[in-house]
Amino acid sequence: MLLFDLINGAKNRISHVSNYLRSNTTGAVSYFVNLLAFGAAWLIFPIESPVFQKLKRSRDFYFPQINFHRLRPLDSVRAFIQLIFLMLFASSKEETALRQSKNSHFSTFFLFRWTVMAAKKANRFVRRVSERLSKSLVSEKADAPELGEAAGKISLVKKIFVGFLLLVGLFLYVLCVTQPFSLDEQIIFLLILGTIALTLFQAHTRLTLLMLIVISVIVSSRYIWWRYTETVNPNSYTSVIFTWLLILAETYAFIVMLLGYFQVCWVLDRKPAPMPKDPSQWPTVDIFIPTYNEPLDVVKPTVYAALCQDWDKSKLNVHILDDGSRKEFEDFAAEVGAHYIKREKHNHAKAGNINHAMSITNGEFIAIFDCDHVPVRTFLQKTMGWFIKDPKVALVQTPHHFYSQDPFEKNLHLKDDVPNENSLFHDFIQKGNDTWNATMFCGSCAIMRRKALEEVGGIAVETVTEDAHTSLKLNRRGWSSAFLSTPLSAGLSTETLAAHIGQRIRWARGMVQIFRLDNPLFGKGLSIPQRLCFLNAMIHFLHGLPRIIFLIAPLPFLFANVYVIYASAIAIFVYLVPHMVHSTMTTYAIHRGYRFPFVSALYETILSWYIFVPTLVALISPHKGKFNVTAKGGVIDKAYLDWAVSKPYLLLLSLNMLGFLIGIYRMVGASSYEVMMILINLGWIAYNLVILFAAMAVCVESVQKRKFPRIAFKTPVMLKVGEKNISARLAAFSQKDCVITINPQDIPFFEPNQEITMTFGTKHHPGYSFHCVVDAVFDKGVLEVIVRQDTRVEEMHYVSATFGTPDIWIQKQSEVKPYGMLSGARALLQMAKLGAISFANYSSNSVGWFFKSVSWCVREVISFIPRFPEFRQDSKNSPFEDPEHTQLMR
């Protein structure tokens, strides 16, 4: 009976294939390429049969990159790569989700299923053992403030013991790095370290993270030692120049990696300290809101939120520091009850503005907010507790969050749940700084003790990054600092890439100025960890030249046969690849959830060309350069490619594409040794091209017609239509309008231009109420309403009910997802594809076809990257926005 079914199924299958190929000639090639790989399975399990159709969801779930109804060439290779990936990395949650599907039938794939389950059980066992080992050796409840506070109280015996351990560790490290190995011994050594690292990678504990860092440092150190001792090309002056340029660039990257590892090897997640229950014991606070040329609409929410602080009003003074001396701002301050401060001389920009305000105010503490950074109502209550708990604390800094997308997020159409590159420093690295009492003042969203600030002469004016320099001065005087990881405010990002680059140029120039004028490595008052933390923050902005070197390093060999790494292909592979793999894996383990994997290289590439000259000038002549104000609050009427900004990337892109074509040409008739060297350089260029094409995608400015960005925020509201009360939910808001979701059955009660009343909160716990006008009604139960704010009081109440809600930015932060390394790699390729398409759209027709073919090639490469199981219609795992969300928010 079974044999009869098999024969009958084979006949039906052959008949179907014949009919399909006769009617679709273009599909013939795809079927014949995949026939050998899928033929046996199709004979036993005919896809067209009703039984196999029930497995459709299972099939799509496990192989989301393959369309089984329109097979393409090399789909068998895609299926094989996905199968191996699932066996090694698939987690139990995907299997559970599929079990709940109505059409899932696992019995057919019993062998595959058992293999996957065995691999997953092995992974869970490794993770369990690693976690138990970590907990037995290191208390996970250890608190970093205790670590920092106890650092100065260690007894002499313990210091000697720790010093002895460090000397022994240093000796073993040097021995491990400098020990000469043959290639076979190096491979065995790396296999051992790689196996240990993969095992440790399964457990997310502090101990395993420290061990991953140690392994990464050893592997990378051996690579750098090998580069200095065995790969210098002495054949010609040209070879020596290119070789040493690359070695120095790699050394810089290695030093930054070491400092970065140290900075965040043990992060402190500090929580707010309680305030005295009696408000009469609370100190007086001056809130400074400096402004220069920003429009009043941008400044209003910040002033209103400052005035609405949950603080004794007799001990709170809000000051608008207007360096533009505008009558409109003076009148506004008088209307809302804020103080207005202007000055005759406008020297030293923002720092001078704040110092002038300090001379005519007298609050015990000074809170500083950029004019677009809006604090929640509980900002002061959350932050002031640490000043009262520790009289040596001079600074409490909170994260910088942004409620509008920056040019990278906007132009690449990234979702809100993608980690923002800016948040890596403000949400994570600052926690590491706090461990070593080296929290940096970021110019806004912070409170400072007036006594400490006056002791160092006010805000630093010697450099254009007055904030970081001020915190360095405070630490030199022995004052402590603290960082609260709770997001308590948010502001506007730069609208265009050009403005974003201009802002970063100022930061880069200022940090290098501090490096020259007040180098943290020298002078009194700083501990060694503080010196290293400040040093890393400063030399990080010197990445311009090294990044450019990495983008052109393969070209000398392809253009002129100049070896920049004077070694055999196998030696390069054995030393270079493990260095890159371990550093990437360790960095991902450290930054998991705070950085989008692989995309950080794109940020550095965008900035490298533009910060190279300013940082070089600052190194040579640190007193040159001026403070530039970042423009915010604009609109973009239509999409366009910023050719002026993109010129450097076009040049680098052209050079790399030319090198790639020359490499392909040189492979014809080359020896086997030369082919291997060419392939290594072609792989390097391919990576550069992906980065540069993605950079071109960032240069295409997306449309942003809303002057006031919409902010996603979910909270209950009540809508009153006539005499009827309807429960609804706020989905998003801006300064002028709201997006509200309602039950679809309530849609008939609403129509455009209808006046309604919106009350924040629920029927039993109502809040502020506002008169609104319905602007649009959508079929899916979505309303757009314009909020009427006819008086200053109504404007203030609206800001308090929206921007000032205590958990609003915490809610936004909780939506960020820890995207995996494969998701990051796939997203980077999709960005490169987007860049090629943008080139095709904005270039002439004569070259447009070339970039369209490049985007097709990138799309095909993306299809080979394995994925975690997902149903094809489920796009939640994609980091890119869906069109409906984009249209709604913009």
Side-chain angles (χ1 to χ4, degrees):
M1 188 67 181
L2 177 61
L3 181 61
F4 176 77
D5 290 340
L6 291 177
I7 295 174
N8 191 36
K11 288 170 59 179
N12 292 337
R13 178 67 203 141
I14 293 171
S15 174
H16 175 79
V17 172
S18 301
N19 293 334
Y20 178 81
L21 294 182
R22 279 197 297 267
S23 61
N24 188 349
T25 306
T26 58
V29 176
S30 297
Y31 264 94
F32 281 121
V33 171
N34 291 281
L35 188 59
L36 291 178
F38 288 108
W42 289 357
L43 288 174
I44 300 174
F45 306 112
I47 292 178
E48 295 74 24
S49 68
V51 174
F52 203 92
Q53 282 298 317
K54 293 181 180 180
L55 296 171
K56 178 180 180 298
R57 288 175 65 85
S58 305
R59 188 183 59 201
D60 293 344
F61 181 79
Y62 279 125
F63 300 94
Q65 66 272 63
I66 298 175
N67 186 344
F68 286 87
H69 294 292
R70 292 184 63 85
L71 292 169
R72 298 171 294 169
L74 302 180
D75 267 348
S76 55
V77 178
R78 296 182 181 92
F80 178 76
I81 294 173
Q82 179 72 0
L83 184 66
I84 298 300
F85 173 75
L86 290 173
M87 292 169 60
L88 295 177
F89 299 105
S91 63
S92 58
K93 64 181 180 180
E94 287 82 13
E95 182 182 341
T96 303
L98 190 55
R99 282 182 183 277
Q100 296 172 352
S101 171
K102 295 181 180 178
N103 296 326
S104 62
H105 293 268
F106 287 90
S107 56
T108 310
F109 296 118
F110 64 91
L111 181 60
F112 164 72
R113 176 189 168 195
W114 287 349
T115 308
V116 172
M117 289 177 62
K120 288 186 290 188
K121 286 182 178 180
N123 276 343
R124 285 197 293 268
F125 174 76
V126 170
R127 184 177 304 173
R128 197 161 50 242
V129 171
S130 300
E131 289 174 350
R132 288 180 179 177
L133 179 62
S134 299
K135 290 179 180 179
S136 65
L137 296 178
V138 179
S139 173
E140 291 297 320
K141 296 181 180 179
D143 199 0
E146 298 174 5
L147 177 71
E149 292 167 4
K153 303 176 182 179
I154 300 177
S155 64
L156 180 61
V157 176
K158 288 185 177 181
K159 287 182 179 180
I160 295 174
F161 179 70
V162 171
F164 173 75
L165 291 180
L166 288 176
L167 287 176
V168 173
L170 180 62
F171 172 76
L172 294 176
Y173 165 75
V174 173
L175 182 65
C176 193
V177 169
T178 60
Q179 181 67 28
F181 284 161
S182 65
L183 285 181
D184 292 340
E185 293 169 338
Q186 173 73 2
I187 292 173
I188 295 173
F189 178 70
L190 291 172
L191 285 175
I192 295 172
L193 292 184
T195 303
I196 297 173
L198 288 174
T199 303
L200 297 171
F201 191 73
Q202 305 299 322
H204 313 312
T205 62
R206 283 177 172 174
L207 177 63
T208 54
L209 181 59
L210 291 173
M211 294 176 70
L212 278 174
I213 290 174
V214 170
I215 293 175
S216 175
V217 170
I218 291 174
V219 173
S220 297
S221 298
R222 281 195 64 83
Y223 171 73
I224 294 297
W225 178 260
W226 173 74
R227 290 286 283 119
Y228 273 95
T229 58
E230 300 184 33
T231 64
V232 177
N233 188 352
N235 292 339
S236 65
Y237 289 113
T238 305
S239 300
V240 170
I241 291 173
F242 282 113
T243 297
W244 278 103
L245 280 176
L246 181 58
I247 288 179
L248 292 175
E250 290 176 318
T251 303
Y252 163 82
F254 175 70
I255 293 173
V256 170
M257 183 191 76
L258 291 181
L259 292 174
Y261 283 168
F262 169 78
Q263 201 169 10
V264 296
C265 65
W266 194 289
V267 297
L268 162 59
D269 192 6
R270 189 190 295 262
K271 301 302 180 184
M275 292 289 296
K277 294 183 179 180
D278 184 5
S280 63
Q281 299 180 17
W282 297 359
T284 56
V285 179
D286 288 322
I287 296 182
F288 289 173
I289 305 174
T291 176
Y292 173 59
N293 60 356
E294 299 83 0
L296 183 58
D297 283 334
V298 171
V299 183
K300 276 183 182 181
T302 306
V303 176
Y304 288 142
L307 291 169
C308 292
Q309 287 294 301
D310 294 334
W311 200 260
D312 186 345
K313 302 306 178 185
S314 64
K315 297 187 175 184
L316 177 67
N317 292 288
V318 178
H319 307 272
I320 301 176
L321 316 184
D322 183 20
D323 234 9
S325 303
R326 291 161 289 183
K327 185 68 166 58
E328 179 186 15
F329 278 68
E330 186 174 5
D331 294 340
F332 168 74
E335 289 180 32
V336 300
H339 300 276
Y340 178 80
I341 299 176
K342 65 178 181 179
R343 55 181 181 147
E344 299 298 328
K345 297 181 179 180
H346 302 282
N347 56 325
H348 302 308
K350 178 181 175 182
N353 195 7
I354 295 174
N355 289 337
H356 172 258
M358 283 182 60
S359 66
I360 58 177
T361 57
N362 56 11
E364 298 172 71
F365 294 89
I366 298 173
I368 301 176
F369 295 98
D370 283 346
C371 64
D372 60 295
H373 274 128
V374 188
V376 299
R377 296 192 302 268
T378 56
F379 183 91
L380 293 180
Q381 288 194 20
K382 295 288 188 182
T383 53
M384 289 298 301
W386 279 101
F387 289 108
I388 297 174
K389 181 178 180 179
D390 185 357
K392 291 298 292 180
V393 170
L395 163 70
V396 173
Q397 178 69 56
T398 65
H400 280 200
H401 276 225
F402 299 92
Y403 57 81
S404 64
Q405 290 190 317
D406 66 26
F408 289 87
E409 296 171 304
K410 176 170 62 70
N411 297 344
L412 295 174
H413 311 291
L414 296 179
K415 277 181 167 182
D416 291 336
D417 63 6
V418 172
N420 183 294
E421 185 71 11
N422 189 68
S423 68
L424 175 65
F425 174 78
H426 290 287
D427 288 332
F428 184 68
I429 292 179
Q430 282 278 55
K431 293 181 183 180
N433 289 338
D434 196 14
T435 302
W436 309 113
N437 191 24
T439 299
M440 296 183 190
F441 174 42
C442 300
S444 180
C445 311
I447 301 182
M448 308 182 78
R449 193 184 297 269
R450 179 184 290 269
K451 177 183 177 182
L453 201 53
E454 290 176 342
E455 187 176 311
V456 297
I459 303 295
V461 297
E462 297 88 351
T463 61
V464 295
T465 48
E466 74 293 332
D467 41 16
H469 198 182
T470 301
S471 54
L472 176 63
K473 286 186 171 183
L474 289 170
N475 282 134
R476 284 195 186 278
R477 288 295 188 114
W479 288 96
S480 298
S481 55
F483 175 75
L484 291 183
S485 59
T486 306
L488 300 173
S489 56
L492 282 170
S493 293
T494 50
E495 279 81 22
T496 64
L497 181 60
H500 186 87
I501 291 173
Q503 183 188 61
R504 265 44 178 189
I505 288 175
R506 175 169 63 84
W507 292 0
R509 180 192 293 120
M511 296 303 281
V512 176
Q513 283 179 325
I514 301 173
F515 180 75
R516 278 293 318 276
L517 300 175
D518 194 5
N519 195 308
L521 291 179
F522 310 107
K524 298 180 180 180
L526 297 179
S527 64
I528 293 177
Q530 286 176 326
R531 296 178 192 274
L532 295 179
C533 288
F534 279 103
L535 176 66
N536 188 37
M538 293 168 192
I539 68 173
H540 164 76
F541 286 99
L542 295 174
H543 67 74
L545 180 59
R547 177 59 62 178
I548 294 173
I549 291 174
F550 293 144
L551 290 171
I552 62 175
L555 301 181
F557 174 77
L558 295 173
F559 285 170
N561 207 37
V562 174
Y563 286 75
V564 293
I565 302 180
Y566 194 62
S568 64
I570 185 62
I572 294 174
F573 187 84
V574 167
Y575 280 92
L576 176 60
V577 173
H579 155 65
M580 296 177 63
V581 169
H582 279 276
S583 59
T584 301
M585 184 172 64
T586 305
T587 301
Y588 171 74
I590 295 173
H591 297 158
R592 194 194 314 258
Y594 295 97
R595 167 176 275 182
F596 200 9
F598 296 107
V599 182
S600 58
L602 174 60
Y603 284 81
E604 289 191 1
T605 300
I606 291 288
L607 299 175
S608 59
W609 186 279
Y610 291 99
I611 69 172
F612 166 54
V613 173
T615 51
L616 181 63
V617 170
L619 274 175
I620 299 172
S621 181
H623 293 286
K624 287 191 175 182
K626 63 180 182 179
F627 189 97
N628 60 300
V629 179
T630 306
K632 296 178 182 179
V635 297
I636 301 174
D637 293 326
K638 64 178 181 178
Y640 65 95
L641 176 60
D642 194 333
W643 289 103
V645 171
S646 65
K647 285 179 182 178
Y649 320 129
L650 282 172
L651 174 61
L652 293 170
L653 188 62
S654 302
L655 290 174
N656 276 271
M657 292 180 69
L658 180 61
F660 192 85
L661 295 176
I662 291 175
I664 297 295
Y665 173 77
R666 285 183 55 182
M667 288 186 67
V668 180
S671 64
S672 58
Y673 172 79
E674 190 176 7
V675 166
M676 289 297 297
M677 293 298 297
I678 294 174
L679 285 175
I680 290 175
N681 284 275
L682 287 180
W684 193 338
I685 285 184
Y687 174 75
N688 289 345
L689 289 175
V690 169
I691 294 292
L692 291 168
F693 270 114
M696 293 305 303
V698 182
C699 293
V700 179
E701 297 291 352
S702 298
V703 174
Q704 181 179 305
K705 293 188 176 181
R706 295 186 181 276
K707 181 180 180 181
F708 306 108
R710 280 182 174 169
I711 306 159
F713 178 49
K714 299 178 177 62
T715 189
V717 294
M718 293 293 298
L719 303 180
K720 186 174 183 179
V721 185
E723 298 300 323
K724 185 176 180 59
N725 291 319
I726 298 174
S727 297
R729 194 166 184 82
L730 183 71
F733 72 90
S734 72
Q735 285 181 235
K736 298 297 182 182
D737 61 4
C738 291
V739 178
I740 302 171
T741 58
I742 60 175
N743 195 317
Q745 67 185 16
D746 292 328
I747 291 179
F749 294 105
F750 300 92
E751 58 184 25
N753 300 320
Q754 180 183 24
E755 292 192 2
I756 64 174
T757 300
M758 176 179 64
T759 302
F760 284 84
T762 62
K763 181 179 180 180
H764 302 290
H765 298 90
Y768 293 116
S769 297
F770 301 93
H771 296 291
C772 305
V773 178
V774 177
D775 189 47
V777 182
F778 299 94
D779 295 336
K780 295 182 179 180
V782 177
L783 301 178
E784 289 186 355
V785 301
I786 299 174
V787 183
R788 292 175 54 182
Q789 304 167 59
D790 300 326
T791 65
R792 298 295 190 195
V793 173
E794 289 180 343
E795 288 180 343
M796 189 180 301
H797 288 172
Y798 182 70
V799 169
S800 179
T802 52
F803 290 96
T805 305
D807 64 340
I808 179 173
W809 311 124
I810 297 175
Q811 183 183 117
K812 184 177 177 64
Q813 185 187 43
S814 65
E815 296 174 354
V816 175
K817 291 171 54 178
Y819 282 90
M821 297 178 68
L822 286 176
S823 297
R826 189 165 62 247
L828 184 61
L829 288 171
Q830 289 174 325
M831 294 171 190
K833 172 189 168 186
L834 179 62
I837 294 174
S838 302
F839 242 133
N841 293 336
Y842 290 96
S843 301
S844 61
N845 294 330
S846 59
V847 297
W849 65 269
F850 175 76
F851 295 110
K852 288 181 180 178
S853 63
V854 170
S855 68
W856 179 87
C857 293
V858 174
R859 185 185 67 217
E860 290 301 305
V861 171
I862 294 173
S863 67
F864 285 92
I865 298 178
R867 308 180 191 179
F868 282 101
E870 59 179 274
F871 293 113
R872 184 167 287 118
Q873 64 269 28
D874 181 11
S875 61
K876 291 182 179 179
N877 289 334
S878 171
F880 299 98
E881 288 181 340
D882 58 274
E884 290 187 6
H885 175 79
T886 304
Q887 184 177 5
L888 180 68
M889 298 303 289
R890 294 183 187 167

